[in-house]
mmCIF file with all atom_site columns, all heavy atoms in Angstrom:
data_model
loop_
_atom_site.group_PDB
_atom_site.id
_atom_site.type_symbol
_atom_site.label_atom_id
_atom_site.label_alt_id
_atom_site.label_comp_id
_atom_site.label_asym_id
_atom_site.label_entity_id
_atom_site.label_seq_id
_atom_site.pdbx_PDB_ins_code
_atom_site.Cartn_x
_atom_site.Cartn_y
_atom_site.Cartn_z
_atom_site.occupancy
_atom_site.B_iso_or_equiv
_atom_site.pdbx_formal_charge
_atom_site.auth_seq_id
_atom_site.auth_comp_id
_atom_site.auth_asym_id
_atom_site.auth_atom_id
_atom_site.pdbx_PDB_model_num
ATOM 1   N N   . GLY P 1 9  ? 17.229 -4.114  -7.535 1.00 0.00 ? 30 GLY P N   1
ATOM 2   C CA  . GLY P 1 9  ? 17.130 -3.369  -6.249 1.00 0.00 ? 30 GLY P CA  1
ATOM 3   C C   . GLY P 1 9  ? 17.135 -1.916  -6.543 1.00 0.00 ? 30 GLY P C   1
ATOM 4   O O   . GLY P 1 9  ? 17.509 -1.387  -7.631 1.00 0.00 ? 30 GLY P O   1
ATOM 5   N N   . LYS P 1 10 ? 16.629 -1.085  -5.579 1.00 0.00 ? 31 LYS P N   1
ATOM 6   C CA  . LYS P 1 10 ? 16.468 0.281   -5.695 1.00 0.00 ? 31 LYS P CA  1
ATOM 7   C C   . LYS P 1 10 ? 17.082 0.922   -4.479 1.00 0.00 ? 31 LYS P C   1
ATOM 8   O O   . LYS P 1 10 ? 16.655 0.626   -3.370 1.00 0.00 ? 31 LYS P O   1
ATOM 9   C CB  . LYS P 1 10 ? 15.075 0.852   -5.961 1.00 0.00 ? 31 LYS P CB  1
ATOM 10  C CG  . LYS P 1 10 ? 15.005 2.359   -6.165 1.00 0.00 ? 31 LYS P CG  1
ATOM 11  C CD  . LYS P 1 10 ? 15.789 2.830   -7.374 1.00 0.00 ? 31 LYS P CD  1
ATOM 12  C CE  . LYS P 1 10 ? 15.679 4.230   -7.541 1.00 0.00 ? 31 LYS P CE  1
ATOM 13  N NZ  . LYS P 1 10 ? 16.410 4.770   -8.737 1.00 0.00 ? 31 LYS P NZ  1
ATOM 14  N N   . GLN P 1 11 ? 17.945 1.926   -4.640 1.00 0.00 ? 32 GLN P N   1
ATOM 15  C CA  . GLN P 1 11 ? 18.599 2.616   -3.518 1.00 0.00 ? 32 GLN P CA  1
ATOM 16  C C   . GLN P 1 11 ? 18.297 4.151   -3.585 1.00 0.00 ? 32 GLN P C   1
ATOM 17  O O   . GLN P 1 11 ? 18.394 4.752   -4.696 1.00 0.00 ? 32 GLN P O   1
ATOM 18  C CB  . GLN P 1 11 ? 20.067 2.487   -3.484 1.00 0.00 ? 32 GLN P CB  1
ATOM 19  C CG  . GLN P 1 11 ? 20.893 3.070   -2.365 1.00 0.00 ? 32 GLN P CG  1
ATOM 20  C CD  . GLN P 1 11 ? 22.373 2.786   -2.593 1.00 0.00 ? 32 GLN P CD  1
ATOM 21  O OE1 . GLN P 1 11 ? 22.843 2.625   -3.666 1.00 0.00 ? 32 GLN P OE1 1
ATOM 22  N NE2 . GLN P 1 11 ? 22.995 2.672   -1.418 1.00 0.00 ? 32 GLN P NE2 1
ATOM 23  N N   . TYR P 1 12 ? 17.950 4.800   -2.530 1.00 0.00 ? 33 TYR P N   1
ATOM 24  C CA  . TYR P 1 12 ? 17.807 6.220   -2.470 1.00 0.00 ? 33 TYR P CA  1
ATOM 25  C C   . TYR P 1 12 ? 18.862 6.729   -1.483 1.00 0.00 ? 33 TYR P C   1
ATOM 26  O O   . TYR P 1 12 ? 18.929 6.329   -0.270 1.00 0.00 ? 33 TYR P O   1
ATOM 27  C CB  . TYR P 1 12 ? 16.359 6.686   -1.904 1.00 0.00 ? 33 TYR P CB  1
ATOM 28  C CG  . TYR P 1 12 ? 15.368 6.420   -2.815 1.00 0.00 ? 33 TYR P CG  1
ATOM 29  C CD1 . TYR P 1 12 ? 14.344 5.411   -2.644 1.00 0.00 ? 33 TYR P CD1 1
ATOM 30  C CD2 . TYR P 1 12 ? 15.148 7.208   -4.051 1.00 0.00 ? 33 TYR P CD2 1
ATOM 31  C CE1 . TYR P 1 12 ? 13.364 5.127   -3.537 1.00 0.00 ? 33 TYR P CE1 1
ATOM 32  C CE2 . TYR P 1 12 ? 14.099 6.890   -4.886 1.00 0.00 ? 33 TYR P CE2 1
ATOM 33  C CZ  . TYR P 1 12 ? 13.194 5.978   -4.651 1.00 0.00 ? 33 TYR P CZ  1
ATOM 34  O OH  . TYR P 1 12 ? 12.197 5.743   -5.539 1.00 0.00 ? 33 TYR P OH  1
ATOM 35  N N   . ASN P 1 13 ? 19.797 7.558   -2.007 1.00 0.00 ? 34 ASN P N   1
ATOM 36  C CA  . ASN P 1 13 ? 20.905 7.977   -1.195 1.00 0.00 ? 34 ASN P CA  1
ATOM 37  C C   . ASN P 1 13 ? 21.699 6.756   -0.578 1.00 0.00 ? 34 ASN P C   1
ATOM 38  O O   . ASN P 1 13 ? 22.174 5.990   -1.443 1.00 0.00 ? 34 ASN P O   1
ATOM 39  C CB  . ASN P 1 13 ? 20.442 8.899   0.017  1.00 0.00 ? 34 ASN P CB  1
ATOM 40  C CG  . ASN P 1 13 ? 19.818 10.165  -0.571 1.00 0.00 ? 34 ASN P CG  1
ATOM 41  O OD1 . ASN P 1 13 ? 20.352 10.833  -1.592 1.00 0.00 ? 34 ASN P OD1 1
ATOM 42  N ND2 . ASN P 1 13 ? 18.765 10.619  0.100  1.00 0.00 ? 34 ASN P ND2 1
ATOM 43  N N   . PHE P 1 14 ? 21.659 6.574   0.673  1.00 0.00 ? 35 PHE P N   1
ATOM 44  C CA  . PHE P 1 14 ? 22.370 5.387   1.210  1.00 0.00 ? 35 PHE P CA  1
ATOM 45  C C   . PHE P 1 14 ? 21.415 4.275   1.582  1.00 0.00 ? 35 PHE P C   1
ATOM 46  O O   . PHE P 1 14 ? 21.887 3.222   2.261  1.00 0.00 ? 35 PHE P O   1
ATOM 47  C CB  . PHE P 1 14 ? 23.304 5.804   2.396  1.00 0.00 ? 35 PHE P CB  1
ATOM 48  C CG  . PHE P 1 14 ? 24.367 6.768   1.991  1.00 0.00 ? 35 PHE P CG  1
ATOM 49  C CD1 . PHE P 1 14 ? 24.232 8.166   2.312  1.00 0.00 ? 35 PHE P CD1 1
ATOM 50  C CD2 . PHE P 1 14 ? 25.579 6.438   1.276  1.00 0.00 ? 35 PHE P CD2 1
ATOM 51  C CE1 . PHE P 1 14 ? 25.148 9.075   1.960  1.00 0.00 ? 35 PHE P CE1 1
ATOM 52  C CE2 . PHE P 1 14 ? 26.529 7.224   0.866  1.00 0.00 ? 35 PHE P CE2 1
ATOM 53  C CZ  . PHE P 1 14 ? 26.387 8.725   1.229  1.00 0.00 ? 35 PHE P CZ  1
ATOM 54  N N   . ASN P 1 15 ? 20.181 4.508   1.407  1.00 0.00 ? 36 ASN P N   1
ATOM 55  C CA  . ASN P 1 15 ? 19.187 3.493   1.985  1.00 0.00 ? 36 ASN P CA  1
ATOM 56  C C   . ASN P 1 15 ? 18.613 2.696   0.725  1.00 0.00 ? 36 ASN P C   1
ATOM 57  O O   . ASN P 1 15 ? 18.276 3.160   -0.207 1.00 0.00 ? 36 ASN P O   1
ATOM 58  C CB  . ASN P 1 15 ? 17.993 4.207   2.643  1.00 0.00 ? 36 ASN P CB  1
ATOM 59  C CG  . ASN P 1 15 ? 18.453 5.012   3.840  1.00 0.00 ? 36 ASN P CG  1
ATOM 60  O OD1 . ASN P 1 15 ? 19.320 4.551   4.641  1.00 0.00 ? 36 ASN P OD1 1
ATOM 61  N ND2 . ASN P 1 15 ? 17.990 6.219   3.954  1.00 0.00 ? 36 ASN P ND2 1
ATOM 62  N N   . TRP P 1 16 ? 18.663 1.377   0.960  1.00 0.00 ? 37 TRP P N   1
ATOM 63  C CA  . TRP P 1 16 ? 18.029 0.487   -0.070 1.00 0.00 ? 37 TRP P CA  1
ATOM 64  C C   . TRP P 1 16 ? 16.504 0.252   0.317  1.00 0.00 ? 37 TRP P C   1
ATOM 65  O O   . TRP P 1 16 ? 16.154 -0.152  1.409  1.00 0.00 ? 37 TRP P O   1
ATOM 66  C CB  . TRP P 1 16 ? 18.760 -0.912  0.011  1.00 0.00 ? 37 TRP P CB  1
ATOM 67  C CG  . TRP P 1 16 ? 20.096 -0.897  -0.640 1.00 0.00 ? 37 TRP P CG  1
ATOM 68  C CD1 . TRP P 1 16 ? 21.222 -0.634  0.073  1.00 0.00 ? 37 TRP P CD1 1
ATOM 69  C CD2 . TRP P 1 16 ? 20.324 -0.991  -2.073 1.00 0.00 ? 37 TRP P CD2 1
ATOM 70  N NE1 . TRP P 1 16 ? 22.302 -0.613  -0.849 1.00 0.00 ? 37 TRP P NE1 1
ATOM 71  C CE2 . TRP P 1 16 ? 21.830 -0.903  -2.144 1.00 0.00 ? 37 TRP P CE2 1
ATOM 72  C CE3 . TRP P 1 16 ? 19.637 -1.201  -3.131 1.00 0.00 ? 37 TRP P CE3 1
ATOM 73  C CZ2 . TRP P 1 16 ? 22.456 -0.916  -3.315 1.00 0.00 ? 37 TRP P CZ2 1
ATOM 74  C CZ3 . TRP P 1 16 ? 20.343 -1.298  -4.330 1.00 0.00 ? 37 TRP P CZ3 1
ATOM 75  C CH2 . TRP P 1 16 ? 21.726 -1.128  -4.455 1.00 0.00 ? 37 TRP P CH2 1
ATOM 76  N N   . VAL P 1 17 ? 15.736 0.533   -0.676 1.00 0.00 ? 38 VAL P N   1
ATOM 77  C CA  . VAL P 1 17 ? 14.243 0.323   -0.529 1.00 0.00 ? 38 VAL P CA  1
ATOM 78  C C   . VAL P 1 17 ? 14.081 -1.185  -0.586 1.00 0.00 ? 38 VAL P C   1
ATOM 79  O O   . VAL P 1 17 ? 13.200 -1.653  0.195  1.00 0.00 ? 38 VAL P O   1
ATOM 80  C CB  . VAL P 1 17 ? 13.476 1.057   -1.677 1.00 0.00 ? 38 VAL P CB  1
ATOM 81  C CG1 . VAL P 1 17 ? 11.964 0.784   -1.421 1.00 0.00 ? 38 VAL P CG1 1
ATOM 82  C CG2 . VAL P 1 17 ? 13.748 2.551   -1.598 1.00 0.00 ? 38 VAL P CG2 1
ATOM 83  N N   . PHE P 1 18 ? 14.650 -1.820  -1.590 1.00 0.00 ? 39 PHE P N   1
ATOM 84  C CA  . PHE P 1 18 ? 14.666 -3.297  -1.668 1.00 0.00 ? 39 PHE P CA  1
ATOM 85  C C   . PHE P 1 18 ? 15.842 -3.760  -2.390 1.00 0.00 ? 39 PHE P C   1
ATOM 86  O O   . PHE P 1 18 ? 16.388 -2.989  -3.225 1.00 0.00 ? 39 PHE P O   1
ATOM 87  C CB  . PHE P 1 18 ? 13.306 -3.860  -2.286 1.00 0.00 ? 39 PHE P CB  1
ATOM 88  C CG  . PHE P 1 18 ? 12.979 -3.173  -3.642 1.00 0.00 ? 39 PHE P CG  1
ATOM 89  C CD1 . PHE P 1 18 ? 13.630 -3.655  -4.813 1.00 0.00 ? 39 PHE P CD1 1
ATOM 90  C CD2 . PHE P 1 18 ? 11.981 -2.240  -3.776 1.00 0.00 ? 39 PHE P CD2 1
ATOM 91  C CE1 . PHE P 1 18 ? 13.423 -3.037  -6.078 1.00 0.00 ? 39 PHE P CE1 1
ATOM 92  C CE2 . PHE P 1 18 ? 11.637 -1.657  -4.956 1.00 0.00 ? 39 PHE P CE2 1
ATOM 93  C CZ  . PHE P 1 18 ? 12.271 -2.045  -6.051 1.00 0.00 ? 39 PHE P CZ  1
ATOM 94  N N   . ARG P 1 19 ? 16.241 -4.935  -2.333 1.00 0.00 ? 40 ARG P N   1
ATOM 95  C CA  . ARG P 1 19 ? 17.387 -5.599  -3.094 1.00 0.00 ? 40 ARG P CA  1
ATOM 96  C C   . ARG P 1 19 ? 17.025 -7.026  -3.326 1.00 0.00 ? 40 ARG P C   1
ATOM 97  O O   . ARG P 1 19 ? 16.220 -7.731  -2.697 1.00 0.00 ? 40 ARG P O   1
ATOM 98  C CB  . ARG P 1 19 ? 18.651 -5.499  -2.170 1.00 0.00 ? 40 ARG P CB  1
ATOM 99  C CG  . ARG P 1 19 ? 19.148 -4.104  -1.890 1.00 0.00 ? 40 ARG P CG  1
ATOM 100 C CD  . ARG P 1 19 ? 20.536 -4.164  -1.236 1.00 0.00 ? 40 ARG P CD  1
ATOM 101 N NE  . ARG P 1 19 ? 21.566 -4.403  -2.248 1.00 0.00 ? 40 ARG P NE  1
ATOM 102 C CZ  . ARG P 1 19 ? 22.778 -4.434  -2.024 1.00 0.00 ? 40 ARG P CZ  1
ATOM 103 N NH1 . ARG P 1 19 ? 23.313 -4.303  -0.768 1.00 0.00 ? 40 ARG P NH1 1
ATOM 104 N NH2 . ARG P 1 19 ? 23.715 -4.528  -2.982 1.00 0.00 ? 40 ARG P NH2 1
ATOM 105 N N   . HIS P 1 20 ? 17.836 -7.497  -4.254 1.00 0.00 ? 41 HIS P N   1
ATOM 106 C CA  . HIS P 1 20 ? 17.915 -8.993  -4.635 1.00 0.00 ? 41 HIS P CA  1
ATOM 107 C C   . HIS P 1 20 ? 16.537 -9.579  -4.993 1.00 0.00 ? 41 HIS P C   1
ATOM 108 O O   . HIS P 1 20 ? 16.069 -10.602 -4.495 1.00 0.00 ? 41 HIS P O   1
ATOM 109 C CB  . HIS P 1 20 ? 18.429 -9.783  -3.466 1.00 0.00 ? 41 HIS P CB  1
ATOM 110 C CG  . HIS P 1 20 ? 19.792 -9.159  -3.087 1.00 0.00 ? 41 HIS P CG  1
ATOM 111 N ND1 . HIS P 1 20 ? 20.908 -8.901  -3.890 1.00 0.00 ? 41 HIS P ND1 1
ATOM 112 C CD2 . HIS P 1 20 ? 20.239 -8.803  -1.850 1.00 0.00 ? 41 HIS P CD2 1
ATOM 113 C CE1 . HIS P 1 20 ? 21.857 -8.483  -3.191 1.00 0.00 ? 41 HIS P CE1 1
ATOM 114 N NE2 . HIS P 1 20 ? 21.490 -8.407  -1.875 1.00 0.00 ? 41 HIS P NE2 1
#
Side-chain angles (χ1 to χ4, degrees):
K31 182 62 181 178
Q32 183 181 30
Y33 290 110
N34 298 319
F35 298 104
N36 298 315
W37 287 94
V38 181
F39 53 78
R40 297 191 76 181
H41 310 307

